[in-house]
Amino acid sequence: MAPPRPIDGTLLKQGAEAHVYKSTFLLPTVPCLIKVRPTKPYRHATLDMRLTKHRCVSEARLLNRCRSMGVLCPAVYFVDEKRGEIIMEWIEGPSVRDFLHSHLDGASDPDKEQNSIDVQLDSLMEAIGQTIGKLHDIDIIHGDLTTSNIMLKRRGNSGSMPEAQQTGPALAITEESFSDFDVVLIDFGLGQVSNSDEDKAVDLYVLERAFLSTHPRATRLFNIILDSYKRNCLGSAVVLRRLQEVRLRGRKKSMIG
Ligand SMILES: Nc1ncnc2c1ncn2[C@@H]1O[C@H](COP(=O)(O)OP(=O)(O)O)[C@@H](O)[C@H]1O
Ligand SMILES: [Mg+2]
């Protein structure tokens, strides 16, 4: 395994599987994200190297496959499999998680035109259902479909941005129409290529759990996602039937403890 290099960037997240930095790529005006899989000292060195390499290459391949098939995700700029590093396009925008919090929590604000926000939220959920439908139609299982791993990117954003914006607070979508945003999937670290209906159903189940735990009002929104998935994914009928079984298993499991 190549020794880790010092990363010139801001550490955003130090998870068990990956450290994630915001940095720039080639030009100071092009922001990027560097995802590094750190070595695990408790693992056998050769095994650790193989696993790190495998996961890094697998994630980069899935990202490339998605993009080439029209599912929006970050472009891969550079992969250093020996160091377990992926350098990718920086997605400027909030995660669906932050987005739902800011918009659903503000729901009681009488100054907001709630009806128009609701209609726009619905169309955003439609777009998420469509994206996941497309992903499953090309036989990619995301593996960790949470609301943090779905981002909203401002349309027409080439990736570079004015200096002042780079250090600004996390984006909240305020005045603009939600339809100015694209749904972008990130974090394919647990993803795989599979045509199994069971795998696809589990993907949806993970998202369902994430939605319901993100916000109490999100139940209605998740149903719009499923409805859109049903209309936009060729194999949806079988997957949605399977989802019922996965839910039952999940319930039994939580009853047993
Ligand atoms: N391409 C990207 N552009 C902007 N932010 C990103 C990007 N990829 C990841 N992030 C941010 O970093 C966080 C962690 O990255 P992620 O790939 O999800 O790793 P983990 O496996 O640790 O969840 C994400 O939740 C998101 O906030
Ligand atoms: Mg993640």
Side-chain angles (χ1 to χ4, degrees), residues 185-255:
L185 301 178
I186 61 161
D187 193 2
F188 284 78
L190 296 172
Q192 56 167 323
V193 176
S194 157
N195 62 7
S196 143
D197 300 319
E198 167 77 16
D199 291 343
K200 293 176 187 178
V202 171
D203 234 11
L204 291 178
Y205 183 66
V206 170
L207 184 64
E208 180 169 52
R209 305 301 303 171
F211 249 80
L212 305 192
S213 65
T214 294
H215 205 284
R217 277 190 68 207
T219 315
R220 187 186 72 83
L221 298 178
F222 184 72
N223 287 333
I224 302 174
I225 296 185
L226 280 190
D227 212 49
S228 163
Y229 180 87
K230 193 170 166 182
R231 279 180 282 109
N232 288 292
C233 175
L234 290 175
S236 63
V238 196
V239 177
L240 290 173
R241 232 174 292 136
R242 200 72 184 220
L243 175 62
Q244 302 281 17
E245 293 171 27
V246 177
R247 281 178 180 144
L248 279 177
R249 283 205 312 260
R251 231 168 274 152
K252 268 189 210 150
K253 226 182 190 172
S254 67
M255 266 161 39

Side-chain angles (χ1 to χ4, degrees), residues 13 18 20 33 35 74 88-91 148-149 151 186-187:
K13 186 178 172 194
V20 168
L33 182 113
K35 189 165 181 175
M88 66 180 90
E89 177 190 5
W90 173 259
I91 305 297
S148 305
N149 287 336
M151 295 186 71
I186 61 161
D187 193 2

